[in-house]
Amino acid sequence: MNKLKIYIAVFAAILLVSCSESFLDSEPLTSLTTGNFYRTTDDAELAIIGCYDGIQILYSSGVAFPVASEVFSDNCYGATGNNDGYGYQVMDEFDISRSPADVDLLNDSWGAYYKAIYRTNVLLQKMDQIDWEGDETYRNSIESQARFLRAYAYFDMVRLWEKVPLLTEPSNDNIPQSEPAEIYSQIAEDLSFAAANGSETVEPGRVNKWAAKAMLARVYLFYSGYYGSDLPGVSKSEVLQGLEDVIASNNYALIQDFKDLWPAASTSVNEAGDGLESTYAGKDNAETVFAIKYNITSDYNGNTDGNHWMVMMGLRVQSFSPYGKGWGACTVLPSLYNAYEEGDLRRDASIIGINEENLDFDTSDQREYTGYAVKKYTPLSLPDGRDVAEANGAVNFMIGQFQDYVVIRYADVLLMAAELGSNNAQDYYDEVRARAGLGSKSVSEANILKERRYEFAFEGIRYWDLLRQGVETAADAIAVDTQVLNGGVETDKVIQKNKIVATKGFQMIPQTQISLSNGVLIQNEGWNQ
């Protein structure tokens, strides 16, 4: 592939919703109300863009799901700065006693999820109020997109907290948590509708039926693994057929060079030493099945379009072009770096080896330093030290990052189909390995799960792949008793298996939400102080 100059594509997202305050945390009223809006297809288009905006905002404050998922896993430690609070250690070690004040660590996330769900619920409630001008295909597409986005939000929530209030229409009621089977049943119903009725067109930033089929498989694998039964209302054969449909559609393909999927991995300083050049395949490349879109236009006046969480994975307050600075969370375990097979191209495309790349990194302000950092999702910097986002007009490097979060890649479709028993399982498995520079290997569930760790490291998948194998299995993989460098000083790092088992792998429900519910919400096991 020819080398291309780094560039940024900017798009606008429209926020348009109306709702009222409730204990679930919703949004203020606007001049457009549910009574004078939701009338025309133009209104429907603006409303669904508002729903996408709600999903885009999900990870803009608090602890983002992609970051938290890596901290929970055996890929990364919580880390951050040596003088920071210990909230990331609470998540990493499944232990609130590490920082008793952090009982609201995920409170912003809780509120953002319900705001996003509110938007989808309002639109879905108003579907019959809109004049669709006889275009049932368009109506089904809008409904499919809204239902996918609602399912997406609930799938995050039910994995984080297991039992959450299930709302399928706008409400201010103080309702109790639903059982997981009920929540998963709604997720499956929404995704099944989207898989059957969604558009077949691949359009950047939009959900289609192929994305719904792939997401349904991810939900099925987690639910059936963790709970030991089929996903409510969905059979294994249906899920597998959905994946085969995605493959047969010929809409997606593996990018030839794995590193070209990731800006930092595919970018280097040019020969003149005054700029960057890249072989990055670009946003919305052939491997992207569904991504959350970001751009540089975030500000502190209500525009929240940037990737606000990627800065957490940047090297702690230091840049080594093309790698940009950040806050030093998610230091990578050496055991992961060393686990890759010899010749696996994914290792160096996924992980920054600080010593291996001869980076003169100052460890004095880095907690839980390991010598390794995330490369897939890290900011970019120019040779003169300027952050690439800032150089292109972003307010600052913290909120202006523009790399999309690729939720589902085609490689995942292939490996899920192989795991579910496709007749082509060996071919699908080998296709992923061949792209990584590796030879054929006998296909088995155990080998596929190992492959998934190396293929999807730092994409927010590994922890859930562990947990769906059982809490004991996950806890055995994550527990450690070792040493790390905190501010350059060797320090014990302990993650106890019994802490993970006690929580069943789920997180603490924010104390603010329990208080606002007047005790209707019940704290998860293992998190009571």
Side-chain angles (χ1 to χ4, degrees), residues 267-281:
T267 300
S268 59
V269 177
N270 63 19
E271 291 184 7
D274 60 0
L276 301 178
E277 56 188 16
S278 179
T279 57
Y280 177 43

Side-chain angles (χ1 to χ4, degrees), residues 55 58-59 65-66 113 147-157 159 187 191 215 218 290 292 405 407:
I55 297 299
L58 280 182
Y59 309 145
F65 185 88
Y113 282 115
R147 292 182 71 160
F148 177 101
L149 298 175
R150 179 170 68 183
Y152 181 88
Y154 271 123
F155 187 41
D156 273 11
M157 293 187 78
R159 284 181 293 170
I187 292 170
L191 292 176
M215 183 60 76
R218 181 174 290 179
F290 175 63
I292 296 177
Y405 175 42
V407 178

Side-chain angles (χ1 to χ4, degrees), residues 20 38 65 71 99 111 119-120 180 182 187 193 219 252 265 283 290-291 297 341 358 375 387 406 482 485 487 505:
S20 58
Y38 299 100
F65 185 88
V71 172
S99 183
R119 296 182 186 203
T120 61
E182 184 181 359
I187 292 170
F193 181 93
V219 174
Y252 307 99
K283 297 188 178 195
F290 175 63
T297 57
E341 291 181 50
N358 297 313
K375 186 179 291 188
D387 180 88
V406 182
T482 187
L485 289 179

Side-chain angles (χ1 to χ4, degrees), residues 359-476:
L359 306 182
D360 187 20
F361 184 81
D362 180 357
T363 65
S364 63
D365 190 32
Q366 175 69 67
R367 179 180 292 158
E368 296 174 349
Y369 176 77
T370 63
Y372 300 99
V374 174
K375 186 179 291 188
K376 280 185 180 177
Y377 286 101
T378 198
L380 294 173
S381 74
L382 296 168
D384 62 8
R386 289 182 299 155
D387 180 88
V388 167
E390 290 181 352
N392 281 270
V395 169
N396 60 46
F397 75 99
M398 294 181 291
I399 65 173
Q401 298 302 321
F402 52 91
Q403 184 176 337
D404 292 348
Y405 175 42
V406 182
V407 178
I408 304 175
R409 292 193 282 115
Y410 183 62
D412 200 2
V413 173
L414 293 173
L415 290 180
M416 287 192 293
E419 185 177 346
L420 286 166
S422 169
N423 292 332
N424 300 311
Q426 187 69 59
D427 290 340
Y428 296 160
Y429 180 53
D430 286 346
E431 187 176 350
V432 173
R433 284 181 57 80
R435 197 259 300 268
L438 303 173
S440 180
K441 191 174 183 179
S442 177
V443 67
S444 67
E445 182 178 5
N447 282 342
I448 290 169
L449 286 166
K450 288 179 182 177
E451 204 69 42
R452 290 179 63 83
R453 186 186 189 192
Y454 310 134
E455 179 71 23
F456 305 120
F458 320 121
E459 297 178 50
I461 292 175
R462 170 62 176 175
Y463 177 68
W464 312 110
D465 276 352
L466 282 174
L467 195 57
R468 66 183 172 91
Q469 297 174 64
V471 179
E472 291 279 344
T473 298
D476 282 334

Side-chain angles (χ1 to χ4, degrees), residues 188 192 216-217 220-221 224 229-243 420:
S192 295
L216 186 61
Y220 178 89
L221 283 168
S224 62
S229 63
D230 277 351
L231 182 66
V234 180
S235 69
K236 180 179 178 180
S237 61
E238 290 174 313
V239 172
L240 175 56
Q241 185 56 57
L243 294 171
L420 286 166

Side-chain angles (χ1 to χ4, degrees), residues 184-204:
Y184 277 100
S185 180
Q186 184 61 54
I187 292 170
E189 180 183 321
D190 282 344
L191 292 176
S192 295
F193 181 93
N197 298 281
S199 171
E200 295 186 2
T201 301
V202 177
E203 183 179 353

